[in-house]
Amino acid sequence: MTYQHDIGAQQALPHFDQSLIWSAILLLSLGLVMVYSASISIAEAGQGTNGYPAFFFVRHGINLGLGLLAGLIAFQVPMRLWQKYSFHLFFLGVFLLVLVLIPGIGHEVNGSQRWIPLIVANFQPSEFMKLCMVLYAANYTVRKTAYLGSFRKGFLPMLIVMLMVGVLLLLEPDFGSFVVITVITMAILFLGGVNLKLFAGLIGFLAISLLALIWVEPYRMQRFLGFMDPWDDPYGKGYQLSHALIAFGRGEWLGVGLGGSVEKLFYLPEAHTDFLLAVIAEELGFVGVLTVVSLFACLVIRAFIIGRQAAIRERHFAALVAQGIGVWLGLQAFINMGVNMGVLPTKGLTLPLMSFGGSSLVASCITLAVLLRIDWENRQLMKGYAL
C-alpha cells in the first residue's frame, strides 16, 4: 500500500517548478508594461522612432518573443549536451568579445564599444558570455574536483581564463559585466568545494584589483564620487542618481499611478533601461518595488533549491549551473537595484527580464530555460525515468 502511494505521489509531481515559472512570467509581463510606460515620451521625441509612442514597447515585445522562442529551443537541449559543448560555447563567447573590439565591426554607443550591429538590431556579446561562463566554470569545477585544493592545478588555469575574459570586457569597456562574470565564477568555484584559504586569498586580490580599476580610470572615479554624494553636483556627476532618488521619493507607498511619472519626461536618463526600477518606484511606489524584489528573491531561492535537488541526485554539473544562474540573476538584479537606490555606484547593467535591451532579454530567457531543464530532469529522475 505504501509503495503504491509513493508511486502515485511521484507520478502526480508537476512537470515544472510552478513558483519559478510564475515569478518569471510576472517579471517579464511587468517589465513589458513598465518599458512602455517609461519610454513613451522618449519615443515621441526621439530620433529614429518616427514619433511613434509605442516604438520601444513594440521592439521590447519582439525581443521578448525572440527570447521565449530561443528559450523553448534551449529547453530541448539535455544538460549532458550543455556540459559536453560548454568548452565550445565558451570559446565562441570569447571570439565574439574579440570581434566586438575590431574597428568597423563593433558599434560604439556613449563611449563604449559593446555591440555588433545586425540587420535589425544590435547584439551584445557580453550578455551571452555570462551564460557561457556559468557553463564553462561549472564543467571546469566538476572536472577539476580532485585539484581544487591546489593553486597551480586547480586555481591557476581558471584565474588565467578570468583574466583573459576580464581584459576583453575592460577594453570595451564593460566594467559591470566584468564584475558579474567574476563573481559568478568565484561563486561556482566556492560551491564546488575550492580550498577556503585559496578562495579567501583570491577574494582579497580581486577586491584590491577592482578598487585599483576604479581608481585609475577617471570616469569610474567620477561615478564613485557621484554615488557618495549625488547632491554635491546634481547637474553633473550626480545627475542620474539624484533624479532616481527623486523618483523614489515621489512614489511613496503606492506610487503616483501607472503612467504618472514625471522623472521619465526627459529628467531621468535611460529611464526604460538602466533606471527602470526608479520609474516603477515613482509610479507603483514601495509596494511595486517590494513586489519586484520579492519576485527576484523567489527566482534566486528556487534556483538554489533546484541546484540542491540536482546535487542530491549526484548531477553535479547541473547543480552548479543552477546555482550559478541563481548567483547571476540575483547579483545583477541587486546591482541594478542598488544603483537605482543610491547604495551602489552607477553602472550600466540592466534589470534582468525587465529592462529594455534585446541581448539581455534573450540571454535571460535562455538562462531560465536551462534552469527549467535542470528542474525537469530532476523531476524525471524522481519519477524513475532515465534521462
Side-chain angles (χ1 to χ4, degrees), residues 309-373:
Q309 291 170 343
I312 291 172
R313 290 160 183 78
E314 298 186 352
R315 303 177 62 230
H316 301 298
F317 171 76
L320 290 174
V321 169
Q323 292 168 346
I325 289 172
V327 171
W328 167 15
L329 294 178
L331 176 67
Q332 186 160 330
F334 173 78
I335 291 175
N336 180 276
M337 293 174 184
V339 167
N340 276 253
M341 297 178 187
V343 297
L344 291 173
T346 304
K347 284 310 310 159
L349 283 174
T350 58
L351 188 59
L353 304 172
M354 299 189 73
S355 294
F356 179 81
S359 297
S360 173
L361 190 58
V362 173
S364 297
C365 288
I366 294 173
T367 300
L368 284 177
V370 174
L371 184 58
L372 280 171
R373 177 73 195 194

Side-chain angles (χ1 to χ4, degrees), residues 203-326:
I203 286 290
F205 170 74
L206 289 173
I208 294 171
S209 300
L210 291 175
L211 290 174
L213 288 170
I214 294 173
W215 179 267
V216 300
E217 194 66 51
Y219 84 92
R220 292 193 193 114
M221 197 63 188
Q222 288 296 315
R223 285 184 173 182
F224 183 77
L225 295 174
F227 141 75
M228 294 295 290
D229 186 7
W231 307 109
D232 180 57
D233 186 12
Y235 298 104
K237 59 179 179 287
Y239 183 80
Q240 279 184 310
L241 180 53
S242 61
H243 281 279
L245 294 176
I246 290 171
F248 272 86
R250 290 193 76 244
E252 298 184 349
W253 287 98
L254 299 177
V256 297
L258 187 63
S261 170
V262 172
E263 287 299 321
K264 69 183 182 185
L265 304 177
F266 309 106
Y267 294 104
L268 181 61
E270 310 296 340
H272 60 305
T273 56
D274 300 346
F275 283 86
L276 186 67
L277 188 71
V279 179
I280 293 174
E282 187 176 2
E283 296 189 349
L284 305 181
F286 174 78
V287 172
V289 174
L290 182 61
T291 299
V292 172
V293 172
S294 300
L295 290 172
F296 273 109
C298 181
L299 275 184
V300 173
I301 290 170
R302 295 311 304 172
F304 274 85
I305 290 175
I306 290 169
R308 182 174 177 273
Q309 291 170 343
I312 291 172
R313 290 160 183 78
E314 298 186 352
R315 303 177 62 230
H316 301 298
F317 171 76
L320 290 174
V321 169
Q323 292 168 346
I325 289 172

Side-chain angles (χ1 to χ4, degrees), residues 96 98-108 113 115-118:
L96 292 172
V98 172
L99 198 65
V100 80
L101 295 173
I102 299 175
I105 297 180
H107 177 59
E108 185 174 324
Q113 192 167 317
W115 296 268
I116 297 175
L118 302 179

Side-chain angles (χ1 to χ4, degrees), residues 90 94 97 101 129 133 136 151 155-171 178 181-182 185-186 189 202 205-206 209-210 213:
F90 171 77
V94 171
L97 289 181
L101 295 173
M129 190 63 201
M133 201 67 193
Y136 178 80
F151 177 80
F155 231 77
L156 187 59
M158 182 55 74
L159 180 60
I160 293 172
V161 166
M162 290 168 61
L163 290 174
M164 176 180 66
V165 173
V167 168
L168 292 173
L169 289 170
L170 292 174
L171 287 173
F178 169 64
I181 286 176
T182 300
T185 308
M186 294 300 298
L189 288 172
L202 189 57
F205 170 74
L206 289 173
S209 300
L210 291 175
L213 288 170

